[in-house]
Amino acid sequence: MASTQEDYYAVLGVARDATPEEIKKAYRKLARQLHPDVNPGEEERFKEVTKAYEVLSDPKKRELHDLGGDPFSTGGGFGSGFGFSDIMDAFFGAGGGGGRGPRPRQRRGQDALIRVEVDLSEATFGATRDLQVETAVGCPTCHGAGARPGTSPRTCDVCHGRGEVQQITRSFLGQVMTSRPCSACQGFGTVIPDPCHECGGDGRVRTRRTLTVKIPPGVDTGTRIQLTGEGEAGPGGGPAGDLFVEVVERPHPLFRRQGDDLHCSVSVPMTAAALGTTVSIETLDGPKPVELRSGTQSGPTTTLTGLGVAHLRSPGRGDLVVHVEVATPTRLDVEQEELMRKLAAIRGEDGPDVGTVTGQRTSFFGRLRDAFNDGQR
């Protein structure tokens, strides 16, 4: 390094291989000690320390200094581009004093949510509903501008359209300038001297309106249908948010839904189960026959393919699963009891210990619950 070149590392008291953080830390410490507001007689040294920090905090200037060159060869004083904002960055980080500018009056409206109840048939085949919704819409008088027709917003006299005001305070670093949103215009940069009488300057009013919603086949409780642009209108004539219609499916008296499959239970007399029979099952598509073979026991199921709920995102439908329960008579008249005893004698079932121990059976709803839990794993 040339002998006439000042050693800025020595000025800050750091090693030549000091990191940027070490250089910044050293400068902060010296600047607090030497600032003219703290030590009026140290103004020249404060400038020297600040000059050293400017060089060592700039990679290009630092490299030139290390090579023995003059980092200020293209400019005088503190060098080009260095000022109070650079000192503030050293203490508080970049962007501490950056302005935001005025915020727009036009903003997107909020999304809205309503719930609609549907029955199982509507969830299966789809439906069309007319819904009454109450949301904010654009003001019909001022068309969202917020100002009375024939007038317009004007520039704020306090912030002069900037949307923020600056305040200067004194500290040990000298004068510090800060910015905050203008309270006269709430940061918009403009004021509405003559607001619309209908919306009060907001540019929107609340109203009740009717929307036609198409509910697709296959929806279930929790399904949300998005209606773009049908939510709350935005302030100042801004675009509207979206409306979400959340489906709630009402319980059905006969069927229980498991995904896109339906389950129901049919009870048949003991004699019909023993001899076999055909049972008419009421489905969402009308009556359907279900044949039960002779000797049918409680528990078996019969599947009617394609008679369940429609798939929401693919073609086709789920199945209808029929659970058979054999009903044992609880009351017999004399003749019936006599016939049953004769049948038991013929089948050799009239003596003791005719039962067979098997594993525990669960009810239809218990089996349905277990099947549902298995499907969730």
Side-chain angles (χ1 to χ4, degrees), residues 108-131:
R108 182 183 184 275
Q110 293 183 340
D111 295 335
L113 173 68
I114 62 172
R115 291 179 173 84
V116 57
E117 288 190 348
V118 299
D119 58 33
L120 182 58
S121 179
E122 292 174 317
T124 300
F125 301 110
T128 300
R129 287 289 190 85
D130 289 334
L131 302 180

Side-chain angles (χ1 to χ4, degrees), residues 349-363:
E349 299 172 351
D350 57 343
D353 299 328
V354 295
T356 302
V357 179
T358 60
Q360 184 178 3
R361 299 179 64 88
T362 58
S363 66

Side-chain angles (χ1 to χ4, degrees), residues 119-299:
D119 58 33
L120 182 58
S121 179
E122 292 174 317
T124 300
F125 301 110
T128 300
R129 287 289 190 85
D130 289 334
L131 302 180
Q132 295 288 324
V133 296
E134 182 175 342
T135 60
V137 298
C139 176
T141 300
C142 66
H143 305 290
R148 184 175 60 83
T151 67
S152 61
R154 61 175 175 81
T155 302
C156 177
D157 294 331
V158 176
C159 67
H160 304 290
R162 293 190 301 270
E164 57 186 15
V165 293
Q166 297 176 334
Q167 182 178 8
I168 300 177
T169 57
R170 291 189 61 83
S171 71
F172 72 92
L173 288 176
Q175 292 184 341
V176 178
M177 181 178 297
T178 59
S179 299
R180 58 181 175 81
C182 176
S183 59
C185 64
Q186 287 77 50
F188 293 119
T190 59
V191 294
I192 301 177
D194 196 358
C196 171
H197 70 277
E198 186 166 352
C199 66
D202 188 49
R204 55 184 183 170
V205 294
R206 298 198 69 82
T207 186
R208 181 177 293 273
R209 54 200 174 102
T210 301
L211 289 177
T212 300
V213 180
K214 184 178 181 180
I215 300 172
V219 296
D220 198 355
T221 295
T223 300
R224 288 190 174 184
I225 303 168
Q226 182 177 2
L227 302 179
T228 304
E230 295 292 351
E232 301 280 344
D242 298 336
L243 175 67
F244 291 88
V245 180
E246 185 174 88
V247 174
V248 178
E249 184 181 309
R250 289 189 290 262
H252 194 274
L254 297 179
F255 303 113
R256 289 184 178 271
R257 181 173 177 176
Q258 182 181 337
D260 290 337
D261 292 336
L262 297 178
H263 294 256
C264 70
S265 180
V266 57
S267 177
V268 297
M270 178 184 65
T271 52
L275 298 174
T277 187
T278 298
V279 181
S280 178
I281 301 294
E282 189 65 36
T283 72
L284 297 177
D285 299 79
K288 299 292 180 181
V290 175
E291 183 177 352
L292 301 179
R293 293 177 297 179
S294 60
T296 296
Q297 305 294 309
S298 290

Side-chain angles (χ1 to χ4, degrees), residues 27 53-54 57 80-93:
Y27 171 65
Y53 176 71
E54 177 192 359
S57 63
S80 60
F82 189 83
F84 183 71
S85 63
D86 299 279
I87 300 176
M88 293 299 293
D89 287 348
F91 277 84
F92 306 111

Side-chain angles (χ1 to χ4, degrees), residues 24-44:
K24 181 185 292 187
K25 184 177 180 180
Y27 171 65
R28 288 181 178 179
K29 180 179 179 181
L30 290 173
R32 290 191 180 98
Q33 295 174 356
L34 303 176
H35 194 278
D37 288 347
V38 179
N39 289 311
E42 298 288 351
E43 182 175 353
E44 290 301 321

